[in-house]
Amino acid sequence: MNTSTAAQTPRVQADFRSDTVTQPTAAMRAAMAAAPLGDDVFADDPSVNALQDKIAALLGFEAALFMPTGTQSNLCGILAHCQRGDEYIVGQLAHTYRWEGGGAAVLGSVQPQPLNHQPDGTLALADIEAAIKPDDAHFAKTRLLTLENTWGGKLLPFAYVQAATQLARDKGLSRHLDGARLFNAATAQAAQNGTDPYAEARAITSCFDSVSVCFSKGLGAPIGSALCGSREFIARAHRIRKMAGGGMRQAGMLAAAATHALDHHVLRLAEDHALAARLAEGLRGIAGLEVEAPQTNIVFVDLVGAARAQSAALQEHLKAQGVLITGLYRLRFVTHLDVDAAGVDRAVAAVRSFFAA
Ligand SMILES: *Cc1c(COP(=O)(O)O)cnc(C)c1O
């Protein structure tokens, strides 16, 4: 019988492709196995209900809805804010614009108004203001601002988050946060301020009408996200989730993993950030590499000059050394629950040995 558990699964690879690749820990699996279950379409699953209550309270919202994916969570959020012919302002490279199959437009007839990012990931306040359409029959109705934090591993400055969401509010727009990595943002912000990540998460989310947060990224749950907002907003999102095929039944096993993650994996995100810094430090000074100083758990490394021609060979070399990454000329290393200092050092050694050869 295959009784593979996290502890027994050999980790022959250092997998930096994404923080989505984590395996549930033994303790998380135990929590999942022990979860009381019901039929969540009847709102009967105690573990789902407990998670929804917990995340809503944690982030300062009236209600929350458990979602199978972050993509569906953002989709339901945008569609619960916007009607057909409405418009949302969003970053050109934001997940809710570029990486979700155009779902808001395809499924909701909601028009995106993408804006270019500033180097720090923000959308310039002047650009946001200029993109808001007057009430005129020529234009879609600008209804919503969506921000993403962290964005590309960058923490949006909190003063910016406050200013952008205040501008949106003043202009009568709703505000949605794609907080797939909200707790990474909160962890970085807490380190800056000497506070705790739960308090910073709540400070960030207090600027928004709705927030989507992923449990399946750095928090280490196998599946799941939550959408948070007012009771009335969540009731609308609930209807849309059903329409999108996201009404799950005995989902409590997954919700229990998410609850476990909220209880046990938030404070350890600082370790991922420290490992990202260690990785960046280790890669610094190699000719042909430009290493971006990481703010959270994502390290970007650009291949420049002659090194660009070696991209494919580098990928192959890393793979042979058991180091998995993404990106061709802009390499991306993501740290998470299932890579440790030894994995980071292996990655550094693998890159160094390639360029030394
Ligand atoms: C991962 C991610 C999501 C959601 O992705 P799913 O794979 O659908 O869970 C949303 N936004 C951002 C910024 C993400 O990184």
Side-chain angles (χ1 to χ4, degrees):
M1 195 174 83
N2 180 1
T3 56
S4 168
T5 67
Q8 292 162 335
T9 307
R11 296 261 159 65
V12 293
Q13 291 177 321
D15 192 343
F16 295 94
R17 289 173 302 165
S18 176
D19 45 9
T20 57
V21 302
T22 53
Q23 298 275 325
T25 62
M28 182 179 280
R29 285 171 192 255
M32 294 169 77
L37 304 177
D39 186 329
D40 183 50
V41 173
F42 292 110
D44 249 4
D45 189 305
S47 301
V48 171
N49 292 338
L51 171 66
Q52 292 176 163
D53 291 348
K54 184 185 189 79
I55 188 72
L58 196 62
L59 298 182
F61 290 96
E62 283 177 0
L65 198 55
F66 188 47
M67 296 279 183
T69 66
T71 298
Q72 189 171 107
S73 187
N74 282 322
L75 176 72
C76 292
I78 293 170
L79 267 54
H81 282 299
C82 300
Q83 302 290 315
R84 298 181 68 209
D86 287 350
E87 170 181 85
Y88 67 110
I89 294 174
V90 62
Q92 189 71 249
L93 301 176
H95 205 280
T96 47
Y97 173 61
R98 193 178 171 88
W99 299 93
E100 298 185 355
V106 174
L107 301 168
S109 301
V110 180
Q111 164 170 289
Q113 167 61 70
L115 300 179
N116 289 331
H117 298 265
Q118 300 303 303
D120 64 358
T122 61
L123 309 176
L125 298 183
D127 292 350
I128 293 172
E129 191 160 1
I132 298 170
K133 315 289 184 291
D135 184 3
D136 176 308
H138 290 88
F139 303 123
K141 287 183 194 155
T142 312
R143 186 72 74 192
L144 176 69
L145 172 68
T146 71
L147 296 179
E148 184 175 315
N149 199 8
T150 61
W151 174 83
K154 288 187 164 77
L155 170 67
L156 297 189
F158 186 55
Y160 167 80
V161 171
Q162 290 177 304
T165 52
Q166 186 61 48
L167 170 65
R169 176 198 278 265
D170 292 345
K171 299 290 180 181
L173 309 189
S174 297
R175 295 86 40 93
H176 173 74
L177 176 67
D178 177 358
R181 296 190 177 87
L182 169 69
F183 286 102
N184 292 94
T187 297
Q189 200 161 297
Q192 285 177 356
N193 297 340
T195 52
D196 87 274
Y198 292 104
E200 294 296 345
R202 203 181 157 113
I204 294 168
T205 57
S206 71
C207 300
F208 294 89
D209 301 295
S210 61
V211 172
S212 173
V213 56
C214 284
F215 304 115
S216 57
K217 297 244 159 106
L219 293 182
I223 289 174
S225 288
L227 181 67
C228 304
S230 70
R231 216 166 267 119
E232 188 226 337
F233 170 85
I234 289 299
R236 286 201 301 279
H238 184 265
R239 174 176 280 274
I240 297 161
R241 186 188 69 172
K242 185 69 188 162
M243 191 172 70
M248 299 183 288
R249 301 294 176 170
Q250 284 75 35
M253 294 183 89
L254 298 173
T259 296
H260 180 87
L262 285 174
D263 288 342
H264 300 284
H265 293 171
V266 172
L267 296 178
R268 64 153 305 288
L269 289 173
E271 297 170 30
D272 298 344
H273 296 188
L275 284 180
R278 178 187 180 114
L279 178 65
E281 197 48 50
L283 295 178
R284 229 160 254 140
I286 301 175
L289 298 190
E290 272 179 18
V291 182
E292 231 177 72
Q295 296 179 10
T296 59
N297 68 327
I298 304 181
V299 183
F300 286 104
V301 179
D302 289 312
L303 298 187
V304 296
R308 288 174 70 86
Q310 294 176 282
S311 172
L314 172 61
Q315 300 278 344
E316 214 157 288
H317 174 81
L318 292 182
K319 209 167 171 183
Q321 304 285 314
V323 175
L324 303 184
I325 61 166
T326 59
L328 205 53
Y329 302 115
R330 186 168 168 78
L331 312 180
R332 192 181 83 148
F333 298 77
V334 186
T335 56
H336 51 75
L337 199 55
D338 284 356
V339 290
D340 55 11
V344 165
D345 295 345
R346 167 138 55 130
V348 170
V351 175
R352 287 202 167 270
S353 68
F354 178 80
F355 285 102

